Amino acid sequence: MASETEGTGRASALPRSAVILLTLAGGTVAAFGLAAVRDVFTPAFLALVLTLSVHPLSQWLHGHGVPRGLATGTGIVTVFALLAGFAAVLVAALGRFSALLPQYAGQLEEAGASLADALTAAGFGPEQVQAAGESLTPERLLGFIGGLLGNVAGLVGALVIILTLLILMAVDGSRMPALLEHLGGHRPVLVTALKDYACSVRRYMVATTVLGLFQGLFNWLVLLILQIPGALLWGLLSFICSFIPNIGYFIAIIPPLFFGYLTGGWPTVVAVVIIFGGVNAVIQSIVQPRYVGNAVNLSESVTFISVLFWAVVLGPVGAVLAIPLTLLVRTILLDSNPSLSWWRPVTGDRTELEPLLSAEDAAIRSRRRRISRRRAGGAGASPA
């Protein structure tokens, strides 16, 4: 313990500006490095998150008399089945999209003509108008979906890597309590930070899964009432997109809007936007950031910025893993270093700010009461 607290009061030999520049330079190099090895890092980190999520299940089974190997295998099979189910839903949604497109070829041509007329009236040139009109043909859309299916086919290799790492990490996880106990004698603050990180990841996964289930069920019922083709698949797709904070809703609403316009025209589009879009926007932009942010002590702005940042660095999967990745960065940089723990409130941890916030609210309420009494006294004295 002395080795960790010994240098907390030591002043830095470099100027503050140099420390800031070196920190930014190191972060930039690390971001470019992760982007270069994203094909390896992304499935590895996803396997780590899934292993942390199911580790309590394996411990519970082992604590109730199930052999260690069988308990570990049960957790691995459960996680891989869920992961394979998510991939299957994504592929099925894209396939359903491709199967429905040829049935609405006439509506697509009319939509393309309407778009061309609107662009012409707005003053666009003939080339832009022609390109926009041709973009709504079934052939163009099927080519786009085919490209997405080709990218999804690359998930098979990632699933193989994830399954292998799940097995290896689960085996290593059985020795983790003894390893943490050994490290606790040398680096107790680091061990505490790692344990808090694992708990935060589990809380995040549970909170997101529960909200995603309610959101997917609600979306399915709404789309079923509005008679949107493929309502069940779009509900499942919205459940998957709920793991992308703030912007997952905008991805999930595209298929219902598209087929709503083809089947019912603009009235159906307006209904989807008002009912489907309004409720989901509230859940994803207000309820989910606050609920998930309280579970992992991250502010709404940090959550949104982390989604954008990790999506740029690691691609679309980075948006799904944005919160666990941001928590890992905070664990490494802040939680494991006692001299920097005072930066935690900047990231959204309100534990140390609660007394200050309570005092501020009490001062505001007291000032309002004084103003109300002053106004009441002035109103009572005015007739005299």
Side-chain angles (χ1 to χ4, degrees):
M1 185 68 181
S3 60
E4 290 184 349
T5 59
E6 185 177 5
T8 54
R10 186 182 305 166
S12 176
L14 295 175
R16 184 177 299 275
S17 58
V19 173
I20 294 175
L21 290 177
L22 288 176
T23 302
L24 293 176
T28 303
V29 172
F32 275 98
L34 290 177
V37 296
R38 67 169 66 179
D39 294 337
V40 176
F41 177 80
T42 302
F45 187 78
L46 179 58
L48 174 63
V49 171
L50 295 175
T51 302
L52 292 176
S53 301
V54 302
H55 185 65
L57 174 61
S58 302
Q59 283 187 328
W60 183 84
L61 292 174
H62 183 62
H64 284 73
V66 179
R68 185 185 301 273
L70 183 58
T72 302
T74 302
I76 294 173
V77 171
T78 301
V79 172
F80 192 73
L82 292 175
L83 194 62
F86 289 163
V89 168
L90 183 59
V91 174
L94 294 176
R96 178 65 172 167
F97 199 92
S98 302
L100 290 174
L101 279 178
Q103 303 177 14
Y104 299 97
Q107 292 89 332
L108 284 174
E109 292 180 359
E110 294 178 0
S114 301
L115 178 61
D117 294 338
L119 292 177
T120 302
F124 285 89
E127 296 181 357
Q128 291 83 359
V129 172
Q130 183 179 0
E134 292 178 352
S135 63
L136 290 179
T137 60
E139 293 78 11
R140 287 289 187 91
L141 294 176
L142 286 176
F144 174 73
I145 297 300
L148 291 179
L149 288 174
N151 294 331
V152 171
L155 292 176
V156 177
L159 289 176
V160 173
I161 297 176
I162 292 173
L163 176 60
T164 305
L165 288 174
L166 281 174
I167 297 173
L168 298 177
M169 289 182 180
V171 173
D172 294 336
S174 62
R175 299 188 294 268
M176 190 56 63
L179 178 61
L180 292 178
E181 184 178 358
H182 168 72
L183 293 176
H186 302 276
R187 294 290 185 270
V189 176
L190 176 61
V191 171
T192 302
L194 293 177
K195 290 181 179 179
D196 291 341
Y197 171 73
C199 293
S200 298
V201 169
R202 294 189 191 106
R203 287 197 299 266
Y204 167 73
M205 295 300 291
V206 170
T208 306
T209 302
V210 171
L211 286 175
L213 286 174
F214 281 106
Q215 189 174 351
L217 180 62
F218 171 80
N219 293 338
W220 171 59
L221 293 176
V222 169
L223 297 178
L224 195 64
I225 294 173
L226 295 176
Q227 298 181 354
I228 305 295
L232 179 60
L233 281 176
W234 312 142
L236 293 174
L237 183 63
S238 66
F239 167 67
I240 296 177
C241 292
S242 66
F243 286 89
I244 306 176
N246 302 112
I247 61 177
Y249 145 76
F250 296 101
I251 301 174
I253 200 176
I254 293 176
L257 284 179
F258 184 79
F259 286 104
Y261 175 77
L262 295 180
T263 55
W266 288 111
T268 304
V269 171
V270 173
V272 171
V273 171
I274 293 177
I275 303 176
F276 182 99
V279 175
N280 284 271
V282 171
I283 293 175
Q284 288 240 331
S285 301
I286 300 177
V287 178
Q288 186 174 9
R290 292 183 61 86
Y291 186 53
V292 174
N294 293 333
V296 298
N297 291 324
L298 285 178
S299 64
E300 289 83 355
S301 58
V302 171
T303 300
F304 182 70
I305 293 173
S306 65
V307 171
L308 300 179
F309 175 79
W310 291 113
V312 172
V313 174
L314 299 178
V317 184
V320 179
L321 299 175
I323 302 302
L325 284 166
T326 304
L327 292 176
L328 180 61
V329 172
R330 189 177 68 178
T331 299
I332 295 174
L333 297 181
L334 302 183
D335 298 345
S336 61
N337 190 348
S339 63
L340 297 178
S341 60
W342 59 275
W343 277 98
R344 277 185 61 94
V346 179
T347 64
D349 188 358
R350 295 185 297 179
T351 303
E352 299 181 3
L353 297 181
E354 287 297 338
L356 299 176
L357 294 174
S358 300
E360 183 180 355
D361 294 339
I364 293 175
R365 288 193 297 268
S366 177
R367 185 162 56 250
R368 287 177 178 175
R369 285 195 296 267
R370 289 198 302 269
I371 294 174
S372 299
R373 286 196 297 267
R374 189 180 302 116
R375 290 177 177 176
S382 59

